[in-house]
Amino acid sequence: MSEHKSNTESKMPASAPAAPPQRKDPFQEALKPLSKEEQLKLNLGTRGVRNLPPPRFPDADLAVRAKGIRRPAYKVDILLVNPPTPDGAIWIRSQHRVGRRSRENMIWPQMELAQMAAMLDKDYTVAVIDANAERMSWPEFETKLKELRPRFYLTQVTAPTLTNDMYGAFLARSLGAITMGFGTHVTPMPRETLENFPALDFVLRGEPELTLRELMDTIMVVNGLWKKTEDGKLIKQDGTPADADGHMAHMMRDADPTWMPAWSLESLEEPIADDRMKITYTQLAAIKGLAWRRGSEIVVNFDRPFIRNLDDLPIPRHDLLPYDKYRIPMIKGPYTFIVTSRGCTAGCKYCIKHVSYQYSIRLRTPENIMQELWTLKKLGVKHVHMYADLFTVNRDQVVGLCKLMIEQKIGLTWTCNSRVDYVDEEMLELMAKAGCNLISWGIESANEQILKKAAKGYRMEQAPRALTWARKHGIKNWGYFIIGLPGETVETIRETIDFAKKLPLDVALFHVAAPYPGTPFFFEVLEHNWFRPGTQWEQVDMDKGTVLDYPGLTAEELEYWQKRAFREWAFRPGPILTFLKSINGPEVIKSALEIGIGSVKWALGKKEA
């Protein structure tokens, strides 16, 4: 027996594993009865409460930094942004104008972004996003922002889109970008903006180009990314000289003979405690046109003098803009803007353009404008809008440009804006021969007393005369009117509606008066307490509604008359026929339908009181 067992064992593998222990069935175990004492023993909640220990929160920051894990590297130096719109609709935004929702479905080119890109692209990697033109949603924009990861982020800011614009700055700031804002809202209200929106690092007041350039160059130097030679020249990371010592320095000194570059200033003070930028208060204080934070204090530096010679500006980088997405009613195919001048001599109290460029006039030469026109022609653009605070502000410039366009046979069509008291028939005839096919006119009111109070100040007969001259030579007329300027009554509104019906207009838009911050109209409204209580800056919008409560006209009444004026003018056979004729191709049918349906809904959206 023992021998047999021994033989059997000798045949078994020496390393045979032991049988696994049999697992208990938890459901069978749960059925076993437990005494009260056993139940209490298993309940961990019967243990006594320990004395309160001191907090010892985990410090992930130190662990991450010890391993050298920081935010990803920047991919572009600067991102220039027209952010997504507040409601996904098309909005008009510009350094010369305000933000407003576009009832007419116009998509305006972002010429300021293209101009600043041209000021930077020799020394920096530059990207541009026009989210409005690209119909980009906020999630899509955030994805693009993470993809580009800019070192600097610059956004345009207007009153009706203020919180919306600051959301973009917040997203960029969360990715480590140095955030900057420019435009018609932050120029007159830098303290209010910086105090309420901490994600915004800097405000560039007035003309942003030179302030932007000096700020960026200074940060690159003080962060050690660019080197400064003993004789003050700047050397980029690739070892080549920066343009800050050449053409840019010429523009800075031409505008301000006392200019000294902020990066050349030495200081013993500690730099700002910010790992994105090691820059001192002394250096920041030297950059004219800049508003910034000194701890909890908002500092607004001296104003930067205007660029004296607009011909010194490089040709804007139109190729960085989605110009195939820009559109304007009654114009077929891609178009874009050309800025022909800055400033306006007219004194209209309600006009926002005086906030940025004021009343001085700076003109580009016709020859310089032609260089840009030919650049656009080579890009395939067939139509341009001569974009200026007032295109016809100088007759010699307009006549000279028209003659060059005719002589050089450039073959572009174009539009422009004008006042009725800044034209004559000979000039309009020449403009038509040079390719002008539409002029937008600021007519505003049919009451001369209202025009005088608003410092518009033309004579009533000049409007029908100028528009008749234009139509005679084949130029279409687009009229802008304002309901609710100081002194307005139901009777004066009625005058304006009747006047608009008699004018030879192809398009008419009726806006409601909006006291944009910084305009003389704004200060007048403050002085007389015409602001509706609880007004938010986003409500100051010439199209969306009004914030004015006059003693004789409430905000609701002004909005009613704005819509009624449009209904009475537009819902007539002549304007309807003009609108149908403007559908000049299958590619514009969708836009035309959107405009038509949107306009009808807007005009009929509020019942008559």
Side-chain angles (χ1 to χ4, degrees), residues 441-604:
W441 307 90
I443 301 168
E444 322 309 4
S445 175
N447 185 277
E448 286 193 345
Q449 291 305 311
I450 288 177
L451 293 175
K452 287 178 181 178
K453 286 181 180 179
K456 181 77 177 182
Y458 67 84
R459 296 189 304 277
M460 295 313 304
E461 69 272 11
Q462 290 177 298
R465 182 185 297 147
L467 272 61
T468 300
W469 285 337
R471 174 165 284 189
K472 175 182 174 182
H473 297 288
I475 299 174
K476 295 182 176 68
N477 293 313
W478 185 317
Y480 285 100
F481 300 86
I482 298 176
I483 303 297
L485 290 170
E488 194 83 274
T489 64
V490 171
E491 291 73 24
T492 61
I493 295 172
R494 186 74 261 167
E495 285 179 48
T496 298
I497 297 173
D498 294 339
F499 188 61
K501 290 179 183 178
K502 295 176 183 177
L503 289 172
L505 288 168
D506 298 278
V507 180
L509 282 184
F510 296 83
H511 299 297
V512 68
Y516 290 106
T519 61
F521 181 34
F522 169 81
F523 293 109
E524 185 178 2
V525 171
L526 279 180
E527 180 183 353
H528 291 89
N529 295 316
W530 290 334
F531 267 120
R532 172 161 282 195
T535 293
Q536 302 295 314
W537 297 125
E538 286 86 350
Q539 296 172 296
V540 184
D541 186 335
M542 66 172 69
D543 265 354
K544 190 164 58 177
T546 185
V547 295
L548 296 172
D549 264 334
Y550 291 120
L553 278 173
T554 65
E556 288 79 9
E557 288 172 317
L558 289 174
E559 291 176 31
Y560 159 68
W561 279 106
Q562 177 199 14
K563 293 178 180 180
R564 177 168 172 174
F566 179 76
R567 288 199 304 268
E568 288 198 25
W569 184 88
F571 297 170
R572 297 178 298 141
I576 291 173
L577 183 61
T578 298
F579 175 75
L580 293 174
K581 287 180 178 179
S582 72
I583 305 174
N584 51 16
E587 67 275 11
V588 298
I589 290 177
K590 181 181 177 183
S591 177
L593 287 174
E594 289 175 356
I595 295 170
I597 294 171
S599 296
V600 170
K601 284 183 177 179
W602 174 82
L604 299 176

Side-chain angles (χ1 to χ4, degrees), residues 314-372:
I315 299 296
R317 286 292 306 273
H318 291 277
D319 57 301
L320 295 179
L321 299 177
Y323 54 85
D324 60 319
K325 301 287 196 305
Y326 298 136
R327 64 176 184 240
I328 189 170
M330 298 190 291
I331 301 300
K332 185 177 180 179
Y335 89 106
T336 194
F337 283 178
I338 284 188
V339 178
T340 58
S341 64
R342 290 181 178 179
C344 177
T345 52
C348 309
K349 291 182 177 181
Y350 51 83
C351 188
I352 192 70
K353 59 195 174 190
H354 295 311
V355 169
S356 294
Y357 299 135
Q358 300 178 9
Y359 302 96
S360 61
I361 301 300
R362 290 160 295 147
L363 305 169
R364 293 173 64 185
T365 61
E367 292 77 13
N368 182 262
I369 296 170
M370 287 301 297
Q371 290 180 32
E372 188 172 352

Side-chain angles (χ1 to χ4, degrees), residues 45-66:
T46 60
R47 288 8 174 217
V49 178
R50 293 187 301 171
N51 292 332
L52 183 66
R56 300 171 112 184
F57 302 120
D59 193 338
D61 285 335
L62 288 178
V64 166
R65 292 178 182 182

Side-chain angles (χ1 to χ4, degrees), residues 226-274:
W226 287 7
K227 297 187 184 306
K228 183 176 62 173
T229 64
E230 291 183 1
D231 56 355
K233 295 187 180 301
L234 300 186
I235 305 299
K236 296 181 293 184
Q237 290 168 294
D238 61 4
T240 60
D243 191 40
D245 303 305
H247 186 62
M248 292 301 159
H250 158 73
M251 290 183 67
M252 298 276 192
R253 292 194 175 94
D254 188 48
D256 181 9
T258 67
W259 175 74
M260 287 185 60
W263 62 79
S264 68
L265 301 176
E266 302 293 342
S267 176
L268 297 177
E269 65 187 343
E270 287 292 319
I272 291 175
D274 188 327

Side-chain angles (χ1 to χ4, degrees), residues 92-235:
I92 291 172
R93 293 150 56 77
S94 158
Q95 170 74 348
H96 296 244
R97 299 288 189 275
V98 295
R100 68 175 178 88
R101 202 174 190 274
S102 176
R103 274 189 283 134
E104 59 274 38
N105 245 13
M106 287 194 295
I107 303 181
W108 280 22
Q110 293 300 300
M111 288 313 304
E112 296 83 7
L113 304 186
Q115 185 64 79
M116 286 186 278
M119 295 280 288
L120 300 167
D121 65 349
K122 288 184 175 61
D123 297 323
Y124 294 95
T125 54
V126 180
V128 175
I129 294 180
D130 186 351
N132 178 53
E134 299 279 9
R135 317 305 307 127
M136 193 179 290
S137 67
W138 274 111
E140 291 169 332
F141 178 80
E142 186 173 358
T143 299
K144 190 68 176 176
L145 192 59
K146 290 177 179 177
E147 175 189 323
L148 293 172
R149 289 201 172 270
R151 182 184 299 278
F152 297 93
Y153 174 95
L154 179 62
T155 184
Q156 185 160 200
V157 185
T158 65
T161 60
L162 175 59
T163 303
N164 176 82
D165 303 339
M166 291 300 99
Y167 179 60
F170 166 78
L171 292 176
R173 179 72 173 78
S174 71
L175 296 174
I178 296 168
T179 57
M180 303 170 287
F182 77 102
T184 53
H185 183 76
V186 295
T187 289
M189 300 190 72
R191 295 177 185 86
E192 182 84 7
T193 308
L194 288 169
E195 285 173 358
N196 291 322
F197 298 97
L200 190 65
D201 291 310
F202 299 107
V203 162
L204 314 179
R205 300 178 67 234
E207 274 185 330
E209 291 93 350
L210 296 181
T211 304
L212 171 65
R213 179 71 205 221
E214 185 173 4
L215 176 63
M216 288 180 60
D217 290 352
T218 302
I219 290 175
M220 296 299 280
V221 172
V222 299
N223 280 272
L225 299 169
W226 287 7
K227 297 187 184 306
K228 183 176 62 173
T229 64
E230 291 183 1
D231 56 355
K233 295 187 180 301
L234 300 186
I235 305 299

